[in-house]
Amino acid sequence: MQNEETYLQSLLNKRKIVRKYIETNKKFPALKTIPEYAIKIPTAGFSRGIEIIHISEKKNILQIAKYSNEDTYVEKGYDKWISNSLSLFLIVINEEAYHKRYMQIDKNTSTNSKEWEIPYWYVDAGAAMMNCMLLIEETGLKSGFLGSHNIAKDKIKKHLSIPSEYLLLGFITAGLEKDIDVEKKSSKKRKLTHNEYFSK
Ligand SMILES: Cc1cc2nc3c(=O)[nH]c(=O)nc-3n(C[C@H](O)[C@H](O)[C@H](O)COP(=O)(O)O)c2cc1C
């Protein structure tokens, strides 16, 4: 007998990045509750330097679409991805919270947080991002992710009153999928999991 997929396993299996959403007036009240659960992440040293902003007012979504250069993508033939989102979840990083925490007496034998090979604030931000995606999946909507590398970060910070020293990871988008594509991705994947020993 095959083991049944658990609920979490099914959410993980169904999750995929969707960048095409239907315009809709349907309400999804569960979206509002996402940040309070998504923020339940482990943070290095309990630094608590990750925060989540939920954006659901149409005027703000449209402004962010503008600052994300959506127009240039639409001109190239892509869909209005950000503007058609029902909610955006912006993950912001307070790096200073980590340095403050790791300067405390109980951390004085730890590697200086400014010298970490892998800065844990990015790790923790990724955990919050994944929580948002799974919680969106649970509402029946689909998630996408727009990283902050190509957007007008300073204008967005100003518009949303975010302190200038905070870093923006990017927006997790939530919307109703336009062209439902149930096709599984190619199974010709590079092996990414290993049993006991690293193997090719
Ligand atoms: C850190 C990170 C940054 C990403 N940035 C973008 C982005 O800026 N724009 C975008 O369209 N997709 C972005 N993606 C989505 C990836 O392209 C997507 O996760 C990948 O193609 C795998 O697809 P799947 O998530 O549907 O399995 C990003 C994903 C991650 C994890």
Side-chain angles (χ1 to χ4, degrees):
M1 200 175 80
Q2 256 197 333
N3 284 343
E4 257 186 51
E5 207 177 49
T6 67
Y7 183 55
L8 179 57
Q9 288 167 347
S10 79
L11 289 183
L12 287 164
N13 263 339
K14 280 190 298 180
R15 187 215 60 80
K16 60 176 182 178
I17 291 286
V18 172
R19 305 178 182 91
K20 288 183 183 181
Y21 301 132
I22 295 167
E23 267 195 288
T24 176
N25 291 324
K26 241 174 116 179
K27 298 280 174 240
F28 290 84
L31 287 169
K32 209 167 80 181
T33 66
I34 285 182
E36 68 183 274
Y37 291 97
I39 204 63
K40 292 182 183 296
I41 49 168
T43 58
F46 199 49
S47 301
R48 306 184 77 233
I50 305 300
E51 302 184 33
I52 303 172
I53 304 171
H54 178 212
I55 300 130
S56 59
E57 284 183 24
K58 194 71 188 174
K59 67 171 178 10
N60 285 330
I61 290 178
L62 293 178
Q63 192 61 55
I64 289 162
K66 210 169 159 196
Y67 291 149
S68 307
N69 310 309
E70 187 176 75
D71 289 352
T72 56
Y73 287 95
V74 172
E75 276 165 28
K76 288 182 194 160
Y78 292 104
D79 266 54
K80 282 187 174 184
W81 167 22
I82 304 300
S83 324
N84 283 353
S85 298
L86 292 169
S87 279
L88 303 173
F89 299 91
L90 175 59
I91 312 275
V92 298
I93 301 171
N94 175 8
E95 183 183 326
E96 198 44 39
Y98 287 80
H99 301 313
K100 267 199 188 143
R101 174 66 188 102
Y102 278 82
M103 277 188 303
Q104 285 173 354
I105 192 87
D106 61 320
K107 294 287 183 194
N108 64 6
T109 55
S110 290
T111 305
N112 183 328
S113 53
K114 297 207 169 158
E115 287 162 19
W116 282 343
E117 188 182 355
I118 297 174
Y120 286 139
W121 43 94
Y122 301 128
V123 177
D124 300 346
M129 163 181 160
M130 195 63 200
N131 280 350
C132 284
M133 288 179 166
L134 292 178
L135 288 159
I136 291 168
E137 194 68 42
E138 191 182 45
T139 67
L141 296 167
K142 286 295 190 189
S143 61
F145 182 72
L146 180 70
S148 64
H149 52 286
N150 270 337
I151 63 179
K153 289 188 279 288
D154 289 340
K155 287 183 179 160
I156 290 171
K157 280 189 195 174
K158 196 164 172 226
H159 183 78
L160 299 175
S161 317
I162 299 166
S164 60
E165 66 278 15
Y166 275 43
L167 302 169
L168 307 186
L169 178 70
F171 293 97
I172 295 107
T173 63
L176 260 180
E177 188 173 11
K178 192 172 174 188
D179 308 316
I180 297 180
D181 168 19
V182 285
E183 213 176 284
K184 284 250 178 201
K185 279 187 186 153
S186 158
S187 57
K188 260 196 187 167
K189 281 183 193 156
R190 191 155 57 87
K191 182 172 158 50
L192 299 173
T193 61
H194 309 270
N195 188 20
E196 220 74 61
Y197 299 101
F198 189 94
S199 57
K200 289 209 170 156

